[in-house]
Amino acid sequence: MPTEEPDDEELDASVAAVGSLDAALLAAVSTGASTWKVRALLARGASPNAAFIDNSALIHAVRSCEPGVTQALLDAGAELDKKDPRGWTALMHAIDAHSPAEDLSREGVMLQLLDAGASVDVWGNDLRGPLDLMVAKQQQQATAMANRASHIAASKITMLMHQKSSSSGSTHRMAEPFERRSAERGSALAPSARSSLGTDSYFSLDTSESVS
């Protein structure tokens, strides 16, 4: 995100490009503009509750996991529990937002909203509230972590199997089709035994090691 403080000409150009301060604020928030620019537009008179199709600037900020912009809007008096057409508040959008696993900006934004007084006793049109969404998100993250751990474990086991196969000199045989390896094992049978046995009997006899 840009960090330089915008000058008056840049702000004038941003407003002129979209026609109003509120629209410039929404454009700035949704495109990852600097906190400086957001604060400057608010100082010029842009509404912290500016919205496009009922998605407020605050909702855009929290979905982008931008703590600086979120705080700027909160400081300017953004309405915490304003709902979108789905009945979701900014806190609900923050819970549903995505950020890299090692990046705690999403959690930071949620704490900002809670510290500012965002309600947890509120429900969307689907009758789910922030706590419901939080539990679902945790389950989703737990599943993703489990799948990742399982994949890593499986990869390590596969590498170990390859190493053991290489050390025993049978690397290529592991990749051979089962049918070919079975046929080679069956070649040890006497010709008369092979001709008198069907395929199923052959495999059964070979597996039981009953032929000398």
Side-chain angles (χ1 to χ4, degrees):
M1 172 184 286
T3 57
E4 295 183 0
E5 186 173 359
D7 55 31
D8 288 338
E9 289 186 2
E10 180 184 345
L11 292 175
D12 290 340
S14 296
V15 175
V18 292
S20 70
L21 278 167
D22 285 1
L25 176 67
L26 286 166
V29 173
S30 61
T31 57
S34 68
T35 302
W36 282 107
K37 184 172 184 178
V38 171
R39 288 191 179 278
L41 290 168
L42 290 166
R44 282 196 172 197
S47 171
N49 294 313
F52 178 71
I53 315 181
D54 291 329
N55 282 327
S56 67
L58 184 60
I59 286 177
H60 283 292
V62 302
R63 286 211 72 92
S64 300
C65 302
E66 295 290 353
V69 173
T70 296
Q71 192 60 53
L73 293 168
L74 293 175
D75 292 342
E79 185 179 345
L80 278 169
D81 296 324
K82 184 176 182 180
K83 292 185 175 183
D84 70 0
R86 288 193 293 173
W88 280 28
T89 63
L91 177 59
M92 297 166 80
H93 278 282
I95 294 169
D96 189 58
H98 299 281
S99 64
E102 67 278 3
D103 182 1
L104 298 180
S105 59
R106 183 180 73 95
E107 287 74 10
V109 166
M110 286 191 287
L111 289 174
Q112 283 179 293
L113 295 173
L114 289 169
D115 288 343
S119 176
V120 296
D121 295 321
V122 63
W123 291 268
N125 299 342
D126 58 359
L127 302 182
R128 291 189 301 167
L131 283 173
D132 301 307
L133 294 175
M134 194 66 186
V135 170
K137 191 73 170 183
Q138 286 179 307
Q139 292 174 339
Q140 179 184 9
Q141 291 174 330
T143 299
M145 290 177 65
N147 289 341
R148 181 174 181 272
S150 177
H151 174 73
I152 292 173
S155 297
K156 290 181 177 179
I157 291 171
T158 301
M159 291 177 62
L160 178 61
M161 292 173 66
H162 276 299
Q163 291 171 357
K164 287 182 174 295
S165 175
S166 298
S167 63
S168 64
S170 58
T171 305
H172 298 295
R173 291 188 60 80
M174 284 189 66
E176 291 176 353
F178 171 76
E179 292 81 0
R180 183 185 304 170
R181 285 185 275 123
S182 298
E184 290 176 358
R185 291 180 63 195
S187 65
L189 288 172
S192 58
R194 290 200 304 271
S195 62
S196 62
L197 293 173
T199 303
D200 292 340
S201 299
Y202 152 64
F203 280 117
S204 176
L205 184 60
D206 182 49
T207 302
S208 65
E209 303 293 336
S210 61
V211 175
S212 58

